[in-house]
Amino acid sequence: MAALAYTLGKREINYYFSVRSAKALALGAVLLLTACHAASRRYRGDDSCEYLLSSGRFLGEKVWQPHSCMMHKYKNSEAKNCLIDKHIVFLGDSRIRQLFYSFIKIINPQVKEEGNKHGNIPFEDKSASIKVDFLWYPEVNGSMRQRIKSWTEGSVAKPHIIVAGAATWSIKIHNGSNEALTQYKINITSIAPLLEKLAKSSDVYWVLQDPVYEDMLSESRKMITNEKIDAYNEAAVRILNSSSRNSKAKVKVFSVSKLIAQETIMKSSDGLHLPESSRDTNAMILMNVYCNKIMKPIDGSCCQPQPPLTLIQKLAFCFFTLSIIGYLIISLIHRNNYRKNKSCTDLEIGEEKKPAINTPNVSTLEMLLHSFCKLGLIMTYFYLCDRANLFMKENKFYTHSSFFIPIVYILVLGVFYTENTKETKVLNREQTDEWKGWMQLVILIYHISGASTFLPVYMHIRVLVAAYLFQTGYGHFSYFWIKGDFGVYRVCQVLFRLNFLVVVLCIVMDRPYQFYYFVPLVTVWFMIIYATLAIWPQIVQKKANGHCLWHFGLLLKLICLLACIYFLSYSQGAFEKMFSFWPLSKCFELNGNVYEWWFRWKLDRYVVFHGMLFAFIYLALQKRQMISEGKGDALFSNRVSNVLLFISIVSFMTYSIWASSCKNKTECNELHPSVSVVQILAFVLIRNIPGYVRSVYSSFFAWFGKISLELFICQYHIWLAADTKGILVLIPGYPMFNVIVSTFIFVCVAHEISQITNDLAQIVVPKDNSTLLKRLLCIAGFFSGLLLFSAMQDQSRH
């Protein structure tokens, strides 16, 4: 009964929710969300600086999340580069003094809070010519006005940044009287025009008063109530900028500090001053407001303008536009021809006329334009998500529940969709698709949850990446060894399927090829596998079956490959020289050097070799009928199978224990290339030795496995944001619902891109050698032009 309900449940889901209907629903959601966000931007404005200064929430205890954008955590070197030759002034009371110290500690973390608390405090960083001054003005009065007025006069140098604020002293000295509030309004009214005048050439911030923790205040401060503070803040907001509402030169009201204080003031030492972590957050917000537009950090989307389109991006836009127009024209022509040639009865002779048949050339062209038409629309969505300021972005924040609970969900779904395999060989197609699928889903959850900060999870994810490369070695070696097909067509097909989406994204998103590190990695390893087996003497299974010495010849090739890998892994200079020659450098450089490429390659340097060696041993055992792969049969005899299973389980758990006890990433990464294969081989044996386990697979995981490459690449821009540093927010205010909707759209897009790639591969890479040669010349011309435009683009930037 349970099995019947299980089967019927799957049928109902598959009947009512097909891939086609899912994509239609995703398209409707994208159009609706785009319209809503565009309308919201137009109505509420698109200045993320205002959101940064006024709204946000805490993620956990110490991580502040501004509304709609991402905050960058500035290092002292970045702060110095941003503030070089700048003069910053903090003007106000003890709370402003706290903010001053937190700000200069970003520039120089060694600064100590010492000096006259009720006096001016200077700070200077001579290496970057940065001056930061704190000026003691605890009240908004004539003295403060005179100081500000002096900066408005032409003879005095104006500070580049002015941060001011005061009120609690006025409340305290005058015992919270209404007369003091009235005088405060008069004084700030006289100061406001001067601040607005300064705002035309400097960045001016007025810090609103933080709430207090009244129960902790000393007797001398009991009159400083939150009610009084609210009254002073209301007066400041109403008066500031009142004379220049239509002007861009405005005093920026720093009100977000109030929200931060509401959550943290109870941790204050005296009920008045903020704890150190809160004031550090305020200082980092100030740094983001001023520096993001200068430094343009990837993970600091607040206050950053939309990047201008490059020449290559403009050309790509024109190409996709022409493709859409061309497809529409051809579709209209075909529709008209269909109507004219539609089957009808001849009135004179009473015979049915047959419709005209389209020529193959026209259908191929239409298919090509149709694919580029869909791809152009998808790339528009990519650009809107991660390059335009239409959709919101938020920082990641790791919790154990945000990683492990989704893992449990997908595990349950994977078990629900269990089916029998078509074949029961080791690592059969359904099983490898399943393996890729669940690994990809785990990696996606790892990325969106920010779990890289938790070292045990990081190390296990490193094994999953290595397992992908293990499959690369196993799969391609098996194909070349069994088929003996070293033709150009096979190579071009693989290279096209691996690289097509990444090349398009490099053009549309203005990113270097090495940015999508996994694709260069598997591409280079494929070429290494191909070269190892294709160079003379070509040794394949058919030839090796004739004489066993050929097996030793292949092992000698593999040993030579291992020696080359070992040499390059310990000779960084040789490796970097190899990939620093133009045009290879254009593909493998990131941030001006190939170190990142060397690091990525070195991290999993042996696992592809292990995959090739495993494939060789397995195929040799299979050929000699030393393993049993029948349905329900154990791979070896019962005794051998039980021993191998025990060793595999112990090895699997031992690696997990080691990964969980590792002290730091550097130490773990040093050992990872040598030990990751232990857990991979243990998993392969556990999954394949028992006959029943080898005979079933999860169709749910296998479905995702077929589009695992597209999922891995697409996540960079339409699921995550800011080049994977943050999370895309399509539905603000509802984190869980946002993840569900963005994930649904993301998966549908990845599946559609997979189909587009397969369609284009059939057209761009034909089987006919002469036609293929012409296509390769066209592709070479395309990349030559791309390199030329890229060089022109780099020159214009410099």
Side-chain angles (χ1 to χ4, degrees):
M1 193 68 181
L4 179 62
Y6 166 77
T7 305
L8 289 175
K10 287 196 293 185
R11 285 180 181 175
E12 287 292 311
I13 292 171
N14 293 332
Y15 178 78
Y16 288 106
F17 199 71
S18 65
V19 173
R20 187 180 181 87
S21 61
K23 289 178 182 177
L25 184 59
L27 177 60
V30 168
L31 295 175
L32 179 61
L33 289 167
T34 302
C36 290
H37 278 269
S40 176
R41 292 280 179 179
R42 185 173 181 84
Y43 176 72
R44 299 179 60 187
D46 58 355
D47 188 359
S48 57
C49 279
E50 290 187 11
Y51 293 131
L52 178 60
L53 291 170
S54 63
S55 58
R57 70 184 191 278
F58 270 107
L59 303 176
E61 292 185 358
K62 296 182 180 180
V63 179
W64 181 254
Q65 174 58 61
H67 175 68
S68 83
C69 61
M70 296 168 58
M71 222 170 74
H72 176 66
K73 189 173 182 180
Y74 277 89
K75 300 175 183 176
N76 63 320
S77 58
E78 294 173 318
K80 287 180 181 181
N81 287 336
C82 168
L83 300 174
I84 191 167
D85 296 326
K86 296 293 186 294
H87 181 206
I88 302 104
V89 171
F90 288 79
L91 190 80
D93 54 16
S94 58
R95 286 175 160 185
I96 299 297
R97 184 181 64 240
Q98 279 191 310
L99 186 58
F100 158 78
Y101 273 120
S102 292
F103 189 85
I104 62 176
K105 281 181 180 179
I106 299 175
I107 303 169
N108 183 0
Q110 307 303 321
V111 170
K112 296 181 179 179
E113 297 187 24
E114 53 189 17
N116 185 4
K117 290 186 176 181
H118 294 169
N120 300 339
I121 304 172
F123 168 82
E124 185 174 4
D125 187 292
K126 293 183 179 179
S127 63
S129 300
I130 302 171
K131 284 183 64 180
V132 188
D133 293 319
F134 168 71
L135 304 180
W136 173 252
Y137 287 94
E139 288 191 88
V140 179
N141 54 22
S143 299
M144 180 184 282
R145 183 182 184 279
Q146 192 59 38
R147 168 65 74 170
I148 294 171
K149 186 179 179 182
S150 67
W151 290 326
T152 63
E153 297 170 354
S155 58
V156 180
K158 302 178 184 66
H160 298 91
I161 304 172
I162 300 168
V163 183
T168 54
W169 270 70
S170 297
I171 299 172
K172 177 183 174 182
I173 293 172
H174 301 285
N175 201 28
S177 66
N178 291 330
E179 290 78 7
L181 177 58
T182 303
Q183 187 60 47
Y184 178 84
K185 292 177 181 177
I186 294 170
N187 291 339
I188 203 168
T189 300
S190 66
I191 288 174
L194 300 175
L195 292 175
E196 290 170 16
K197 187 176 181 180
L198 282 172
K200 294 178 181 178
S201 56
S202 305
D203 279 26
V204 181
Y205 305 92
W206 185 268
V207 182
L208 296 186
Q209 295 300 301
D210 301 328
V212 295
Y213 191 42
E214 296 180 10
D215 295 342
M216 196 182 286
L217 292 174
S218 62
E219 287 299 322
S220 62
R221 292 172 174 166
K222 286 292 184 182
M223 70 291 296
I224 307 175
T225 64
N226 287 324
E227 183 181 355
K228 290 292 181 183
I229 286 174
D230 289 341
Y232 276 72
N233 284 338
E234 185 182 345
V237 172
R238 187 174 68 251
I239 294 167
L240 289 171
N241 299 317
S242 61
S243 63
S244 60
R245 287 178 182 174
N246 297 321
S247 171
K248 290 184 179 180
K250 283 190 175 184
V251 178
K252 300 176 178 68
V253 178
F254 194 92
S255 60
V256 72
S257 179
K258 291 195 307 174
L259 298 179
I260 296 171
Q262 286 171 4
E263 301 290 331
T264 60
I265 193 63
M266 63 286 299
K267 298 178 183 178
S268 169
S269 58
D270 57 8
L272 178 67
H273 298 98
L274 290 178
E276 187 173 2
S277 61
S278 302
R279 72 189 209 194
D280 290 347
T281 300
N282 287 331
M284 195 59 70
I285 290 171
L286 276 175
M287 191 68 73
N288 274 259
V289 171
Y290 185 80
C291 289
N292 282 2
K293 57 182 176 290
I294 298 171
M295 303 301 293
K296 295 182 173 60
I298 292 298
D299 60 342
S301 63
C302 300
C303 300
Q304 276 207 54
Q306 181 175 327
L309 287 171
T310 64
L311 174 62
I312 294 175
Q313 286 175 311
K314 290 175 182 176
L315 291 173
F317 174 77
C318 293
F319 172 79
F320 285 124
T321 302
L322 291 174
S323 297
I324 293 170
I325 294 171
Y327 174 70
L328 292 175
I329 291 172
I330 289 178
S331 296
L332 288 172
I333 292 171
H334 281 193
R335 183 174 294 181
N336 290 333
N337 289 340
Y338 176 76
R339 285 175 180 174
K340 290 177 182 178
N341 299 319
K342 190 175 180 182
S343 296
C344 62
T345 302
D346 192 303
L347 295 178
E348 293 184 2
I349 60 175
E351 294 179 356
E352 189 179 84
K353 294 180 180 179
K354 294 181 180 180
I357 299 172
N358 292 330
T359 61
N361 289 335
V362 174
S363 62
T364 300
L365 178 61
E366 185 176 4
M367 184 179 175
L368 185 68
L369 290 175
H370 184 222
S371 297
F372 281 126
C373 177
K374 290 190 292 184
L375 187 64
L377 295 174
I378 291 171
M379 287 301 110
T380 301
Y381 179 63
F382 271 76
Y383 187 86
L384 291 176
C385 285
D386 208 24
R387 287 296 172 269
N389 292 327
L390 180 65
F391 297 117
M392 301 176 181
K393 303 172 180 67
E394 289 189 354
N395 295 92
K396 299 177 186 178
F397 178 69
Y398 175 73
T399 61
H400 291 316
S401 60
S402 66
F403 177 75
F404 289 105
I405 290 177
I407 296 291
V408 174
Y409 286 162
I410 65 166
L411 179 63
V412 171
L413 284 170
V415 172
F416 180 74
Y417 279 91
T418 301
E419 297 180 9
N420 293 324
T421 58
K422 294 178 182 177
E423 57 179 354
T424 56
K425 293 181 179 179
V426 172
L427 293 178
N428 56 70
R429 183 59 182 267
E430 287 99 340
Q431 188 185 131
T432 54
D433 283 341
E434 174 204 85
W435 192 7
K436 291 177 184 176
W438 71 256
M439 287 196 303
Q440 186 57 62
L441 291 177
V442 172
I443 290 172
L444 290 175
I445 295 169
Y446 164 82
H447 281 154
I448 200 168
S449 64
S452 59
T453 56
F454 186 49
L455 192 55
V457 172
Y458 166 81
M459 287 309 301
H460 283 86
I461 296 300
R462 289 266 24 112
V463 174
L464 299 190
V465 175
Y468 268 104
L469 294 172
F470 179 90
Q471 286 195 52
T472 297
Y474 173 85
H476 291 306
F477 177 91
S478 299
Y479 178 86
F480 289 128
W481 176 250
I482 296 170
K483 299 284 187 181
D485 178 11
F486 296 100
V488 180
Y489 171 74
R490 163 70 181 178
V491 174
C492 291
Q493 276 278 323
V494 172
L495 293 180
F496 183 87
R497 291 173 188 275
L498 285 176
N499 291 276
F500 172 71
L501 176 57
V502 165
V503 170
V504 173
L505 286 177
C506 287
I507 294 169
V508 173
M509 307 302 287
D510 189 29
R511 280 292 169 264
Y513 178 64
Q514 182 55 34
F515 174 73
Y516 306 93
Y517 74 93
F518 185 74
V519 171
L521 204 56
V522 292
T523 300
V524 168
W525 276 116
F526 167 73
M527 294 306 299
I528 290 173
I529 295 166
Y530 176 80
T532 302
L533 297 176
I535 58 175
W536 185 89
Q538 287 185 4
I539 305 173
V540 295
Q541 190 179 59
K542 188 176 181 180
K543 181 184 288 188
N545 289 337
H547 203 292
C548 63
L549 285 177
W550 286 115
H551 287 93
F552 291 105
L554 181 63
L555 286 174
L556 185 62
K557 277 190 171 186
L558 293 178
I559 291 170
C560 291
L561 172 62
L562 182 62
C564 292
I565 293 169
Y566 184 85
F567 170 75
L568 289 174
S569 64
Y570 289 99
S571 179
Q572 183 180 350
F575 185 94
E576 291 185 352
K577 283 181 181 178
M578 184 184 303
F579 289 95
S580 294
F581 290 107
W582 192 89
L584 278 180
S585 59
K586 292 294 293 183
C587 295
F588 296 99
E589 280 186 357
L590 194 64
N591 300 321
N593 59 69
V594 296
Y595 172 79
E596 180 72 14
W597 165 233
W598 179 74
F599 172 78
R600 294 286 186 182
W601 179 87
K602 183 183 177 185
L603 204 55
D604 295 299
R605 57 187 178 271
Y606 298 128
V607 74
V608 174
F609 169 81
H610 290 141
M612 297 170 68
L613 186 61
F614 177 83
F616 174 72
I617 295 171
Y618 160 67
L619 293 172
L621 293 175
Q622 185 189 59
K623 193 68 179 176
R624 284 160 179 73
Q625 298 181 346
M626 297 175 68
I627 55 178
S628 176
E629 294 182 300
K631 189 172 184 179
D633 296 338
L635 205 59
F636 303 99
S637 65
N638 288 336
R639 187 174 181 179
V640 174
S641 295
N642 290 334
V643 170
L644 286 176
L645 273 175
F646 176 76
I647 294 171
S648 299
I649 292 169
V650 171
S651 301
F652 193 92
M653 294 178 66
T654 302
Y655 178 90
S656 292
I657 292 169
W658 169 78
S660 301
S661 60
C662 203
K663 294 179 180 179
N664 55 68
K665 282 187 179 181
T666 304
E667 178 185 311
C668 293
N669 287 337
E670 282 296 322
L671 292 173
H672 168 76
S674 303
V675 299
S676 61
V677 70
V678 172
Q679 198 165 41
I680 295 170
L681 288 177
F683 171 80
V684 171
L685 293 176
I686 293 169
R687 184 70 177 82
N688 286 276
I689 287 176
Y692 171 74
V693 177
R694 197 175 63 251
S695 302
V696 296
Y697 79 107
S698 169
S699 57
F700 174 78
F701 290 141
W703 188 89
F704 285 98
K706 291 173 183 176
I707 58 170
S708 59
L709 182 65
E710 287 76 16
L711 287 171
F712 187 86
I713 300 168
C714 290
Q715 66 167 324
Y716 279 69
H717 303 295
I718 62 169
W719 196 52
L720 303 175
D723 296 343
T724 74
K725 303 296 183 183
I727 299 170
L728 179 67
V729 179
L730 299 177
I731 304 175
Y734 301 92
M736 287 303 299
F737 188 46
N738 173 69
V739 170
I740 292 170
V741 172
S742 64
T743 302
F744 175 68
I745 296 171
F746 155 60
V747 172
C748 289
V749 168
H751 189 273
E752 184 62 31
I753 289 177
S754 177
Q755 289 187 334
I756 292 171
T757 304
N758 289 333
D759 291 341
L760 288 175
Q762 304 304 318
I763 300 171
V764 178
V765 188
K767 291 185 178 181
D768 179 65
N769 285 334
S770 61
T771 307
L772 178 58
L773 181 61
K774 294 176 183 177
R775 298 282 168 83
L776 289 176
L777 290 174
C778 292
I779 291 171
F782 168 76
F783 280 108
S784 298
L786 196 61
L787 287 171
L788 177 63
F789 284 124
S790 179
M792 293 168 58
Q793 191 170 284
D794 292 341
Q795 189 175 5
S796 64
R797 282 174 177 171
H798 293 309

